[in-house]
Amino acid sequence: MSSEPRVSRWGFLHIRLPLVHMRIEWPEFIQGVVVALSTGLAIVPLLIAYFGLSFEEGVAFCMILSFFIASSILFLGEPYAPGWITPALPLVLAFVLAGYETPTERFQVMSALSIEFALLMFLLGATGLGKKLINHIPRALKSGIILGAALAAFKRVFIDDPSHFAERPWASGLAIAVCLLITFSLPFQRLKGKIPGLALLSSLGLLPGFFIAGVVGLWLGELHLDIQWGIFLPPLGDVWAKASPFSIGWPDFEMYVAALPITLMTYTILFGDLLTGITVLQKAQEDRPDDPIDINVNRSHLMVALRNGLMGISAPFFPTQGVLWTGIHVLIVERWREGPEKMQSLFSGLAAYYLYAIPFFLMILPLITLLKPFLNIALILTLILTGFACAYIAMALPRTSQERGVALMTAFMLVYFDSWIGLLAGIAACLLLLGPDSFRDEENLEKASRLTSRQQQPQVEVE
């Protein structure tokens, strides 16, 4: 175990300085340069098309969001690969773009979402009520919310805004196919154990998809490069003037009311991400006793509250300040568990992916202009992979035919009607079709069910 200090503690803050507490892990650094940058800039096309920003302002906007995400590692000591609350993104886009017409209104309601979510996270983190709240949400309603996110993602790509896909169908289609194959294909997963090269390919995440898209897109003329040289100076002042509520005005009360269903639904998704991140770390910790990990659920709530609050008053784009980027978290943790010779510490791997690549490379103009043609593809990939993952998670939750029916109806109502209508319809369906017991504490309900089952069986063992 290295004698080098791993962290400087300042009360709530756990400060880790780059190159002092965290070395560069080159595999994560290389992936961070391409994958994290491209994915982090994926909302730039949305900012240009629907929020009135220029390309340069969109990049500066994403720099601010990236700094907030990286602060989880640099200042707050969170042991997860942070990212967007991606399953909520399609629902948020449907709510904001359909309900508000001007860029100013859209930024204001994004502020309302961010600030409201920050207050909810702070309340649940300070009181420890988060887990109790989640346990009282019926499985069918959780499934419906996640399935609604899946339907909204596919709807955004192929119905609401099909031009991004239609302009580059071969590049986008092949990128989607390659990423789905690497991420979700059962035959591919079986072959990984037999062919070492496929395991390496899988560890590169979305990078193979971007590579195929680039080769095919340039060959067929669907992508065009316009590389410019120099240093990019982000127009942060212009972003503040166009997006911050200090400049454009604060959200009105009606916006906070309209945003409340999205806020509550987003929390159900975030809590699932948090449980996933904890489970992955706990399984891997056994192999790395030299690098103990501090897991604190209440701190995680407060961290997300802080980041969303800061985002809401500066560069609001909900839900880009979540607790976990699941795929990257798994990749980093799996290499970390192989030992200190592979990765000095978990935070050195996280820093290589988030800190060393993003802040500096976002100011290199040739790299930004090289990635510019890929940003629409990055957005499409984000939505499609999110939709696919949400779909199979959502369909695995219900246990009865009635629950599956309630989930589908809730998802449909969320996608095609106002968010309040969708949420209330899902709650009403749970009450009428599943009964009030569906809102009981799920953990206690399952314990009681197991106890009743044991009592009904012949007692052949003495406990």
Side-chain angles (χ1 to χ4, degrees):
M1 180 174 176
S2 173
S3 60
E4 180 183 358
R6 296 282 176 85
V7 62
S8 296
R9 299 180 185 271
W10 295 78
F12 180 73
L13 302 180
H14 292 185
I15 299 176
R16 290 175 170 83
L17 299 177
L19 303 179
V20 176
H21 301 118
M22 303 172 291
R23 77 181 187 191
I24 297 180
E25 304 290 348
W26 292 104
E28 283 69 34
F29 174 81
I30 294 171
Q31 289 187 68
V33 170
V34 179
V35 178
L37 277 179
S38 299
T39 307
L41 295 174
I43 63 170
V44 170
L46 296 173
L47 293 170
I48 295 172
Y50 302 110
F51 291 84
L53 300 189
S54 66
F55 173 73
E56 292 76 15
E57 290 166 346
V59 174
F61 192 101
C62 291
M63 288 181 70
I64 299 172
L65 300 182
S66 297
F67 173 78
F68 290 145
I69 288 176
S71 68
S72 288
I73 303 162
L74 191 60
F75 300 119
L76 302 174
E78 282 297 282
Y80 313 103
W84 302 353
I85 314 172
T86 314
L89 179 62
L91 296 174
V92 171
L93 291 178
F95 166 67
V96 173
L97 300 184
Y100 301 88
E101 295 183 358
T102 68
T104 296
E105 290 177 328
R106 288 169 176 171
F107 274 129
Q108 285 176 330
V109 77
M110 283 291 191
S111 286
L113 283 162
S114 303
I115 294 170
E116 194 169 70
F117 191 70
L119 293 174
L120 176 66
M121 293 297 296
F122 178 81
L123 174 64
L124 297 178
T127 61
L129 292 175
K131 187 175 182 180
K132 293 182 180 179
L133 173 64
I134 290 296
N135 283 338
H136 284 282
I137 298 176
R139 283 189 303 269
L141 188 57
K142 293 178 187 176
S143 175
I145 292 170
I146 299 172
L147 185 59
L151 297 178
F154 291 121
K155 182 172 177 285
R156 170 60 49 189
V157 173
F158 298 113
I159 297 176
D160 294 339
D161 195 6
S163 60
H164 292 312
F165 186 88
E167 289 171 1
R168 48 192 71 81
W170 283 102
S172 300
L174 287 172
I176 292 171
V178 169
C179 290
L180 285 174
L181 176 71
I182 291 175
T183 309
F184 299 110
S185 169
L186 292 177
F188 184 87
Q189 301 305 317
R190 288 193 289 266
L191 288 174
K192 276 199 319 183
K194 302 177 182 178
I195 305 176
L198 293 182
L200 176 62
L201 185 68
S202 178
S203 69
L204 297 177
L206 303 182
L207 188 55
F210 281 111
F211 179 78
I212 293 293
V215 171
V216 173
L218 291 173
W219 180 42
L220 296 178
E222 293 181 352
L223 299 177
H224 303 280
L225 296 179
D226 181 20
I227 299 176
Q228 303 173 24
W229 301 95
I231 300 297
F232 175 69
L233 299 177
L236 298 176
D238 294 337
V239 171
W240 180 272
K242 291 184 177 182
S244 171
F246 286 104
S247 296
I248 64 175
W250 293 86
D252 57 37
F253 180 73
E254 292 180 357
M255 288 183 175
Y256 286 104
V257 173
L260 185 57
I262 298 292
T263 301
L264 295 175
M265 289 186 286
T266 301
Y267 181 74
T268 68
I269 297 170
L270 178 133
F271 196 86
D273 286 344
L274 184 57
L275 292 180
T276 299
I278 291 172
T279 301
V280 171
L281 284 176
Q282 287 176 336
K283 289 182 178 179
Q285 181 70 87
E286 299 174 1
D287 298 323
R288 287 300 303 268
D290 64 297
D291 186 25
I293 301 301
D294 179 24
I295 296 174
N296 187 319
V297 173
N298 290 335
R299 182 190 62 206
S300 298
H301 278 71
L302 297 175
M303 172 272 296
V304 173
L306 177 62
R307 284 164 47 206
N308 276 274
L310 292 173
M311 177 180 68
I313 63 175
S314 57
F317 201 99
F318 190 75
T320 57
Q321 298 299 317
V323 74
L324 188 72
W325 186 352
T326 306
I328 301 306
H329 183 69
V330 171
L331 289 174
I332 293 175
V333 170
E334 285 302 310
R335 218 171 75 84
W336 167 70
R337 74 186 304 175
E338 293 177 9
E341 67 281 357
K342 292 289 186 179
M343 186 179 292
Q344 178 197 38
S345 70
L346 177 64
F347 282 93
S348 67
L350 294 171
Y353 205 96
Y354 289 88
L355 291 177
Y356 300 134
I358 293 177
F360 305 108
F361 283 89
L362 276 174
M363 299 186 69
I364 299 178
L365 190 58
L367 180 60
I368 294 174
T369 52
L370 173 65
L371 292 175
K372 185 177 180 180
F374 294 90
L375 297 185
N376 282 317
I377 295 176
L379 177 61
I380 291 171
L381 276 176
T382 299
L383 291 171
I384 293 298
L385 294 179
T386 296
F388 190 93
C390 287
Y392 78 70
I393 291 172
M395 289 187 283
L397 286 175
R399 298 178 183 175
T400 67
S401 299
Q402 289 86 350
E403 287 184 341
R404 284 187 283 272
V406 169
L408 179 60
M409 189 187 76
T410 302
F412 179 86
M413 299 295 284
L414 286 172
V415 172
Y416 290 99
F417 294 91
D418 182 84
S419 55
W420 268 114
I421 295 176
L423 184 59
L424 292 175
I427 293 173
C430 289
L431 286 171
L432 294 174
L433 301 179
L434 304 177
D437 280 350
S438 63
F439 288 86
R440 288 178 57 187
D441 187 311
E442 191 169 305
E443 283 191 358
N444 291 334
L445 194 63
E446 290 183 355
K447 289 178 182 177
S449 176
R450 289 195 296 268
L451 179 61
T452 302
S453 177
R454 285 200 301 267
Q455 290 173 343
Q456 291 175 349
Q457 293 175 357
Q459 299 297 308
V460 295
E461 294 182 0
V462 178
E463 298 184 357

